[in-house]
Amino acid sequence: FLSTMLIYSLLMVSVDRRTFQLGIMRMIGTSRQTIIMTIIFQALAYAIPATIIGIGCSQLVIIIGTKYIENLTNLEISSLITFKSVIFGILLGFLVPLISSILPIRSALESQINNAIDTRHSKTKAVEINIERASDGNTPWLFLVAGIVLTIFGFGIYYVIPLALLSENLSLLVNIFLMLLIAMIFGFVLL
């Protein structure tokens, strides 16, 4: 998941940065398949060296780990990566960039040509946020009470439970769990 998000963010930055270039390519008649292949090849350019380095590093870690385990247990263990693991790593090395290039491809193909080649206007869209104050000035007592109760429960969970466990105070621990059980039952009743 993390590698997919990393490649996705790299491709989105590249597509946003190259909007003008992609617009010119589309204007002179470059096919959609060529633009798609350009983005896919860029994703593979990130992934193929990473896959090769990853398989090499994993083999190195396995060699070091098996030597350590062999010294501890006096057993012989194979220090080679299995063929199945290498194939799985290569498949993931090709699948992850393909998945992460879907949204950048859509972004590159959905942009209007006239907007892509317009250098006078900014590509970013403005965001306007309005903050309004409540005019009546009343204190929201329900939110205030709920916040205080949740703060007490949080204090109880993160401070009192470890204190009860470390001091081996079983009655305090049982009372805390009983209060949590009552609070859960109360919550279910309110639903």
Side-chain angles (χ1 to χ4, degrees):
F1 177 74
L2 186 62
S3 60
T4 304
M5 292 306 294
L6 177 65
I7 294 175
Y8 163 75
S9 63
L10 287 172
L11 289 175
M12 281 305 288
V13 166
S14 174
V15 166
D16 285 343
R17 192 181 45 164
R18 293 176 30 195
T19 303
F20 181 75
Q21 178 187 1
L22 292 172
I24 295 295
M25 288 173 63
R26 288 176 55 203
M27 189 176 73
I28 62 173
T30 304
S31 67
R32 296 171 73 87
Q33 287 80 16
T34 304
I35 293 175
I36 291 170
M37 293 309 293
T38 302
I39 295 172
I40 288 175
F41 283 142
Q42 184 178 5
L44 290 174
Y46 296 137
I48 289 174
T51 302
I52 293 169
I53 291 170
I55 290 173
C57 288
S58 65
Q59 178 62 49
L60 182 66
V61 168
I62 286 176
I63 289 172
I64 293 170
T66 54
K67 294 295 180 194
Y68 179 73
I69 292 173
E70 283 177 354
N71 288 339
L72 285 177
T73 62
N74 293 328
L75 297 173
E76 283 192 34
I77 302 171
S78 173
S79 60
L80 294 176
I81 298 177
T82 62
F83 181 72
K84 187 171 141 182
S85 300
V86 173
I87 294 299
F88 185 69
I90 291 172
L91 285 176
L92 278 178
F94 282 102
L95 186 66
V96 165
L98 293 177
I99 291 171
S100 46
S101 64
I102 292 171
L103 291 177
I105 288 172
R106 286 184 68 194
S107 173
L109 294 178
E110 287 177 351
S111 65
Q112 299 292 326
I113 293 176
N114 57 352
N115 291 339
I117 61 174
D118 186 11
T119 58
R120 290 179 289 159
H121 296 95
S122 175
K123 304 292 186 265
T124 58
K125 296 183 173 47
V127 176
E128 184 177 333
I129 298 174
N130 292 326
I131 300 174
E132 298 178 8
R133 282 197 97 98
S135 60
D136 55 4
N138 292 335
T139 305
W141 291 106
L142 180 64
F143 289 126
L144 186 65
V145 170
I148 291 172
V149 168
L150 290 175
T151 302
I152 292 170
F153 274 127
F155 179 78
I157 289 172
Y158 290 111
Y159 181 75
V160 180
I161 288 178
L163 176 69
L165 288 172
L166 290 174
S167 65
E168 297 177 3
N169 189 348
L170 189 60
S171 64
L172 178 61
L173 189 65
V174 169
N175 284 331
I176 291 171
F177 283 127
L178 184 63
M179 285 189 291
L180 287 174
L181 179 65
I182 291 171
M184 286 191 302
I185 291 172
F186 181 71
F188 285 135
V189 168
L190 289 179
L191 289 176

